[in-house]
Amino acid sequence: MKQYKIGYTTGVFDLFHVGHLNILRQAKEQCDHLIVGVSTDELVQQYKNKTPVITHEDRMAIVQSIKYVDEVVPQVTRDKLAAWHELGFDVMFVGDDWKGNSLFLKTEMQFREFGVQVVYFPYTPHVSSTIVKKKIEIL
């Protein structure tokens, strides 16, 4: 029996790589049903000031095809409490590169009131969409 019933994680998942896969695999190991929020192009533009290489529709299709993922939803806001109200998850999984970030300090505090856990997974070193983009630019 897994520790959590419904898990939730989010991301852009642009230029899907093994770091993304590691987060999804580790999350599924701890919950029966994994919901993944894929950031819309508009949301990415809003908080990262850049446009993903892969369209939102295609990134949703890629993530949905991963065997560890049970459900994919568009992430239209970074408000994790609003997502919890809509999806009712028990735990949120996040890469530890976000630990201590003001967004997740706030999220942890908000979730504490409702008994929702935030679990951080180790960031996969030497891989990110930014690194992949830089390697492509060199070619």
Side-chain angles (χ1 to χ4, degrees):
M1 182 166 180
K2 295 185 179 178
Q3 186 172 359
Y4 303 102
K5 186 174 181 181
I6 301 173
Y8 180 63
T9 192
T10 63
V12 179
F13 301 102
D14 197 20
L15 303 174
F16 196 90
H17 54 73
V18 73
H20 297 135
L21 188 63
N22 287 340
I23 288 280
L24 299 177
R25 180 182 42 76
Q26 292 172 359
K28 184 60 179 177
E29 287 172 356
Q30 295 194 26
C31 67
D32 293 328
H33 186 85
L34 179 61
I35 303 170
V36 180
V38 176
S39 299
T40 63
D41 294 346
E42 295 79 12
L43 182 62
V44 176
Q45 183 64 42
Q46 183 182 64
Y47 79 91
K48 286 191 167 187
N49 199 28
K50 55 185 172 182
T51 303
V53 174
I54 310 295
T55 67
H56 179 249
E57 180 179 86
D58 288 352
R59 290 182 284 116
M60 294 266 295
I62 291 166
V63 171
Q64 182 65 65
S65 72
I66 304 299
K67 70 179 182 180
Y68 307 118
V69 176
D70 298 298
E71 183 178 349
V72 176
V73 297
Q75 179 181 230
V76 297
T77 174
R78 297 180 78 200
D79 184 342
K80 309 307 183 193
L81 188 59
W84 176 76
H85 282 293
E86 182 179 338
L87 302 169
F89 48 85
D90 309 301
V91 60
M92 178 161 191
F93 302 108
V94 185
D96 68 1
D97 53 322
W98 287 96
K99 194 168 189 171
N101 174 283
S102 61
L103 173 65
F104 281 95
L105 290 173
K106 178 181 172 187
T107 298
E108 287 177 35
M109 193 171 58
Q110 292 173 322
F111 281 177
R112 199 169 297 130
E113 180 180 341
F114 300 101
V116 179
Q117 302 290 311
V118 177
V119 174
Y120 293 94
F121 293 131
Y123 185 77
T124 303
H126 313 299
V127 66
S128 72
S129 296
T130 301
I131 292 171
V132 172
K133 286 178 191 172
K134 286 181 181 173
K135 286 181 177 178
I136 291 171
E137 288 172 3
I138 292 171
L139 296 177

